[in-house]
């Protein structure tokens, strides 16, 4: 508002993974493969869920939503990264960068919420099995999912509008393969202290509350499972939760490592590999985690093949 030429930067350069020309082709082949496997695996899970009558339960509706969010999440960053590996010019326009940031934050936060809803689903299934379908009615499931989409949308809108109103005057090299919050803050010449405060308060609440909710739910779940007397009942109850627990560990583990490690300031360089891991690993592995560990999904897959 104060200055006409507030953003003199009209495009950003994404330095990406490697400037070594010999690594470009193998790296781009690797990431293209990872991308295709992720999208195909998640689409397979989605079509299995839609086509199999036994999988028409709340647990699988939420798993379908997780697959959809995972596919969108990788599509925001990986195709552009592969294109940049192959191209001489690694630039992205200011608007393009803000658009990518917006969809990245939206899908990343949505993934946290879906994982939390899935924990609630397991909590109800295990502590209140007889009323499971009446508590998680079609209408409740839809409201939970819609609420999560809207809240993550608003959160991303808030962050993206603040970051796009910052001043960028000159420095435009992003030391990562996509437009993410920490490298953009490092490039801005505005005073970002108050925004950083917001990231560490509202942002932590946004990411921490699903995590805390999941931990509290699992505390209850494990207490209930331990009170089951037959050991086969116990292992059956636990097997429905283990896939979800692995996804939770993978996703939140890499997020916390990426955003909340102590040397965050001035550590843009060391941030690179971990940001890469967290933006591709969990979407890639989720379909395998769920299809290999879940008898019902395996059965449906066998029938489809
Ligand atoms: C997401 O969840 C809702 C609510 O259960 C369900 O109606 C919808 O089909 C799910 N979407 C996908 C893509 O699985």
């Amino acid at each position: 508002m104060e200055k006409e030429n507030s953003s003199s930067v009209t495009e950003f350069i994404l330095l990406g993974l490697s400037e070594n020309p010999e690594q470009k082709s193998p790296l781009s082949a690797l990431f293209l493969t990872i991308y295709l496997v992720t999208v195909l695996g998640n689409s397979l899970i989605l079509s299995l869920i839609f086509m199999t009558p036994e999988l028409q339960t709340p647990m699988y509706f939420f798993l379908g939503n997780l697959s959809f969010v995972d596919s969108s999440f990788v599509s925001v960053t990986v195709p552009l990264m592969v294109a940049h590996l192959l191209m001489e010019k690694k630039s992205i326009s200011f608007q393009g960068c803000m658009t990518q940031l917006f969809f990245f934050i939206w899908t990343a936060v949505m993934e946290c919420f879906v994982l939390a809803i899935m924990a609630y689903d397991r909590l109800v299934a295990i502590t209140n099995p007889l009323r499971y379908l009446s508590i998680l009615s079609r209408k409740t499931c839809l409201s939970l999912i819609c609420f999560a989409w809207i809240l993550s949308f608003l959160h991303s809108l808030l962050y993206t509008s603040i970051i796009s109103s910052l001043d960028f005057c000159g420095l435009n090299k992003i030391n990562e393969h996509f437009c993410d919050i920490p490298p953009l803050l490092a490039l801005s010449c505005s005073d970002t202290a108050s925004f950083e405060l917001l990231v560490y308060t509202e942002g932590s609440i946004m990411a921490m509350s699903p995590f805390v909710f999941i931990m509290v739910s699992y505390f209850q779940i494990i207490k209930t499972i331990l009170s089951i007397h037959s050991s086969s009942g116990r292992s059956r109850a636990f097997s429905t939760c283990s896939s979800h627990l692995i996804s939770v560990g993978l996703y939140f583990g890499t997020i916390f490592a990426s955003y909340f490690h102590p040397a965050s300031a001035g550590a843009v360089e060391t941030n690179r590999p971990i940001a890469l891991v967290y933006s591709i690993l969990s979407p890639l592995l989720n379909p395998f985690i769920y299809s290999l560990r879940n008898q019902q999904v395996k059965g449906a897959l066998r029938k489809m093949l």
Side-chain angles (χ1 to χ4, degrees):
M1 258 186 280
E2 308 122 54
K3 279 180 280 154
E4 276 277 279
N5 61 342
S6 54
S7 324
S8 60
V9 167
T10 56
E11 61 174 24
F12 291 99
I13 313 288
L14 291 167
L15 291 182
L17 288 176
S18 170
E19 279 107 73
N20 182 345
E22 270 156 41
Q23 293 174 349
K24 277 180 185 169
S25 323
L27 274 181
S28 50
L30 173 70
F31 285 106
L32 189 62
T33 312
I34 290 179
Y35 178 66
L36 292 177
V37 171
T38 305
V39 172
L40 282 176
N42 282 297
S43 311
L44 185 65
I45 295 271
L46 261 179
S47 37
L48 273 181
I49 290 172
F50 276 111
M51 282 162 42
T52 315
E54 297 93 84
L55 301 186
Q56 302 289 327
T57 67
M59 175 171 143
Y60 292 104
F61 290 140
F62 296 141
L63 179 58
N65 277 280
L66 185 70
S67 290
F68 176 73
V69 176
D70 274 338
S71 300
S72 321
F73 185 58
V74 287
S75 301
V76 174
T77 54
V78 181
L80 187 72
M81 174 178 98
V82 172
H84 276 166
L85 270 171
L86 297 173
M87 289 186 313
E88 270 313 304
K89 204 159 172 278
K90 298 168 187 306
S91 61
I92 180 170
S93 68
F94 188 85
Q95 286 84 356
C97 187
M98 292 305 137
T99 311
Q100 186 182 46
L101 183 70
F102 174 74
F103 283 103
F104 180 75
I105 301 178
W106 190 8
T107 48
V109 173
M110 185 60 192
E111 176 122 1
C112 298
F113 287 163
V114 175
L115 288 171
I117 295 175
M118 291 173 87
Y120 177 62
D121 165 84
R122 290 298 83 210
L123 179 68
V124 176
I126 286 176
T127 58
N128 212 340
L130 298 179
R131 296 192 52 222
Y132 177 60
L133 285 176
S134 63
I135 295 177
L136 282 170
S137 63
R138 191 87 213 197
K139 206 171 130 223
T140 314
C141 293
L142 261 180
S143 326
L144 283 172
I145 287 292
C146 289
F147 179 70
W149 278 115
I150 293 171
L151 197 60
S152 49
F153 172 86
L154 292 176
H155 171 82
S156 179
L157 196 64
L158 173 71
Y159 274 46
T160 314
S161 46
I162 294 178
I163 293 187
S164 62
S165 70
L166 295 176
D167 288 337
F168 293 92
C169 35
L171 295 177
N172 70 344
K173 290 199 172 55
I174 294 178
N175 217 348
E176 252 182 54
H177 64 286
F178 66 100
C179 292
D180 195 3
I181 302 172
L184 284 170
L185 287 185
L187 290 184
S188 168
C189 50
S190 306
D191 179 15
T192 56
S194 52
F195 180 63
E196 271 163 42
L197 193 66
L198 179 79
V199 171
Y200 283 100
T201 52
E202 192 266 4
S204 321
I205 294 171
M206 219 55 165
M208 282 305 276
S209 47
F211 183 71
V212 170
F213 178 80
I214 292 168
M215 290 301 116
V216 172
S217 303
Y218 268 98
F219 183 71
Q220 286 296 328
I221 288 173
I222 288 169
K223 233 172 66 183
T224 312
I225 288 181
L226 291 180
S227 70
I228 297 176
H229 290 297
S230 78
S231 69
S232 71
R234 236 179 308 181
S235 65
R236 189 154 9 97
F238 190 70
S239 77
T240 64
C241 301
S242 52
S243 307
H244 179 246
L245 260 185
I246 297 174
S247 307
V248 166
L250 205 58
Y251 190 66
F252 282 98
T254 43
I255 281 203
F256 289 150
S258 168
Y259 286 100
F260 298 103
H261 60 92
S264 183
V268 191
E269 192 70 37
T270 59
N271 208 6
R272 282 166 70 183
I274 190 79
L276 180 70
V277 166
Y278 118 79
S279 60
I280 59 175
L281 196 63
S282 128
L284 169 69
L285 294 181
N286 275 342
F288 296 102
I289 294 172
Y290 282 92
S291 51
L292 294 180
R293 302 185 56 87
N294 183 308
Q295 295 306 328
Q296 263 180 314
V297 175
K298 264 200 265 185
L301 189 63
R302 236 175 273 129
K303 234 189 271 169
M304 190 160 100
L305 295 177

